[in-house]
Amino acid sequence: MTHTKTPRAITIRAWLLWTSGFLALPLGGYAGTLITGRIDDPLSAVIGGAIAGLIIGSGQALTSSHRVRPVSWITASVLGMGAGLALGAATIGYRTALPDLALMGALNGLILGVAQALALPRQLGQRRWVWAAAMPALWSLGWTVTTLAKIAVDQQFIVFGASGAVLVTAITGLILNRLLPVAAPKQPSITPTTAKVPS
């Protein structure tokens, strides 16, 4: 007797897999910080953001259940994070108060969201802009949660911490499931055979 996963089980599994990729955000931020140090000028923001985007995009591509094209998604994440962090950090003057970080997150999320939306499958049409519309609020939320968790954000990090990353990744997983449901695996067809009766 074979057991097949229900569409609901497949959807939950895909969401859990995507959510497990939250680690890519703090890891990407940490990797970028190792190279650039604090984000306190345009060059450090562009380089640090691009490095973080490379790791974040790679992690998301790996946990997307084959719903995004890795090369397109990673490229969009690198460009979106580099440009988005540079814009956001410069706009707030590299300050680290909660309102400043929330605004930086919104601007970073805006650029990143647009870049990643363009990397989503074209068959989504206008629906892929739901992703772009959600990202500014989610990245602002990520920085808010991290700041309220008493993380030392005054060190001018590239990406919010694990507490914000878990929440943001879980929500984006729900959005991705809505936009690109995971297809159930095809079951092999069974062709009935007729047994030969010996004469």
Side-chain angles (χ1 to χ4, degrees):
M1 180 176 179
T2 58
H3 296 276
T4 57
K5 290 185 173 66
T6 65
R8 180 179 178 83
I10 293 170
T11 298
I12 292 174
R13 182 178 179 180
W15 175 76
L16 289 173
L17 178 60
W18 174 271
T19 302
S20 72
F22 81 92
L23 288 170
L25 278 79
L27 286 176
Y30 180 70
T33 299
L34 282 179
I35 294 174
T36 64
R38 291 173 177 262
I39 302 304
D40 53 9
D41 60 54
L43 184 61
S44 65
V46 171
I47 296 175
I51 293 169
L54 174 63
I55 296 175
I56 292 169
S58 299
Q60 291 177 335
L62 284 172
T63 58
S64 69
S65 301
H66 308 289
R67 286 175 289 175
V68 299
R69 286 184 169 183
V71 173
S72 300
W73 190 262
I74 294 169
T75 301
S77 300
V78 169
L79 297 176
M81 275 298 299
L85 183 62
L87 172 64
T91 299
I92 65 169
Y94 307 97
R95 294 184 296 271
T96 57
L98 176 54
D100 296 316
L101 291 176
L103 176 58
M104 182 184 75
L107 294 172
N108 195 162
L110 174 65
I111 304 301
L112 177 63
V114 169
Q116 289 184 332
L118 290 171
L120 288 170
R122 290 191 176 185
Q123 63 262 31
L124 285 176
Q126 298 300 318
R127 293 179 60 222
R128 60 183 174 175
W129 296 112
V130 171
W131 183 272
M135 291 298 280
L138 290 176
W139 276 69
S140 181
L141 176 63
W143 277 110
T144 299
V145 170
T146 293
T147 304
L148 294 178
K150 306 299 182 183
I151 305 300
V153 293
D154 58 325
Q155 295 183 31
Q156 296 171 305
F157 296 130
I158 295 171
V159 184
F160 40 84
S163 54
V166 171
L167 181 59
V168 170
T169 307
I171 297 173
T172 54
L174 295 175
I175 296 172
L176 187 65
N177 276 357
R178 186 71 175 175
L179 292 175
L180 292 169
V182 181
K186 293 181 179 179
Q187 298 298 320
S189 58
I190 301 175
T191 304
T193 59
T194 55
K196 290 184 178 180
V197 179
S199 54

